[in-house]
Amino acid sequence: MNQPKIRLYALTTCEYCQSLKRMLVQLALEHEVIEVDILSRDERKITIEELKKVNPACSFPTTVIGDQVIVGPKAQEIKKALGIRTEIDDLYEKLKVINEKKGYFFNRNEDKTFELLRGLLVNKERYGYMVCPCRLASGSRDTDRDIICPCQYRELDVREYGSCYCGLYVSDQWNKGIMDRVVVPERRPAELY
């Protein structure tokens, strides 16, 4: 099967655009990136008119895959459109089944969830275990035992705030917007760092 043509309309100053650009490189996909803010005046005018045909709002990032247009930083939607599965997808499915039975749900913001899962896999490669991606690990399994995901603070955080510290696991009510979303304070004692 031939890969469809991929074109990313981006800005050099846009964090989301640059993240998608890195993802396309990491996945070794043939693609074209048009960074509109560094084009000459004439090139920019032509490119904006071209972009408006597929995304009238002319917002960034805009990814065109064949004849499908994906507006916004939707990495998972882009991977789905390309039929790409990664280790993160497998981890997502495995943890979803295990944790939903216990009443813990993944954050409905799929891109945030997958970025946190990516962090877990990076930490697994670094330390040999999946330590919370939002906390500093020591590299000693015994010292980090309390923050190996799911951390020992998750139950209390989700019960009290509807979300764990990093926002990976949430309650159903939190996902549905029934409860206020607040910043979850760090429960881990500072002396453990």
Side-chain angles (χ1 to χ4, degrees):
M1 183 175 143
N2 290 339
Q3 173 196 307
K5 182 178 178 182
I6 302 170
R7 177 178 282 170
L8 172 63
Y9 293 92
L11 301 174
T12 60
T13 55
C14 169
E15 172 188 345
Y16 300 121
C17 299
Q18 296 307 306
S19 176
L20 289 181
K21 181 178 166 183
R22 285 189 299 274
M23 180 191 79
L24 293 170
V25 169
Q26 288 168 351
L27 293 172
L29 296 169
E30 189 175 319
H31 63 282
E32 176 185 13
V33 177
I34 302 171
E35 292 177 321
V36 180
D37 57 326
I38 59 173
L39 296 175
S40 70
R41 178 181 284 165
D42 291 341
E43 291 172 316
R44 184 183 294 194
K45 185 176 179 180
I46 293 166
T47 302
I48 292 293
E49 290 308 312
E50 180 183 288
L51 176 59
K52 285 180 181 178
K53 290 176 185 173
V54 294
N55 175 6
C58 201
S59 56
F60 301 93
T62 297
T63 308
V64 181
I65 301 169
D67 59 358
Q68 184 175 354
V69 178
I70 300 170
V71 177
K74 299 175 182 169
Q76 284 310 115
E77 194 173 326
I78 291 168
K79 288 194 302 184
K80 285 178 187 172
L82 293 166
I84 295 173
R85 283 194 58 79
T86 64
E87 185 180 5
I88 299 169
D89 297 301
D90 296 336
L91 181 62
Y92 175 86
E93 289 177 10
K94 178 182 174 185
L95 293 179
K96 183 176 182 348
V97 170
I98 292 168
N99 288 288
E100 283 188 0
K101 290 177 185 174
K102 298 175 183 177
Y104 299 103
F105 301 87
F106 281 133
N107 188 320
R108 72 177 180 188
N109 179 335
E110 227 179 45
D111 287 321
K112 177 179 174 103
T113 294
F114 276 79
E115 191 59 30
L116 290 166
L117 291 173
R118 186 191 66 74
L120 286 175
L121 291 174
V122 167
N123 283 340
K124 182 180 181 185
E125 188 174 312
R126 271 186 198 151
Y127 308 115
Y129 49 93
M130 290 192 295
V131 66
C132 178
C134 297
R135 292 183 166 112
L136 180 62
S138 69
S140 163
R141 189 179 192 94
D142 287 338
T143 303
D144 295 336
R145 188 169 306 285
D146 64 320
I147 57 172
I148 293 175
C149 189
C151 73
Q152 75 178 33
Y153 311 104
R154 176 182 75 167
E155 182 179 348
L156 203 55
D157 286 348
V158 173
R159 189 177 332 127
E160 189 172 340
Y161 300 103
S163 170
C164 70
Y165 179 70
C166 68
L168 178 62
Y169 291 108
V170 299
S171 68
D172 190 41
Q173 294 83 8
W174 190 94
N175 256 346
K176 290 178 179 173
I178 295 171
M179 61 187 307
D180 290 335
R181 295 184 180 173
V182 297
V183 174
V184 177
E186 174 62 278
R187 292 182 192 274
R188 189 176 202 221
E191 59 269 13
L192 291 179
Y193 284 104

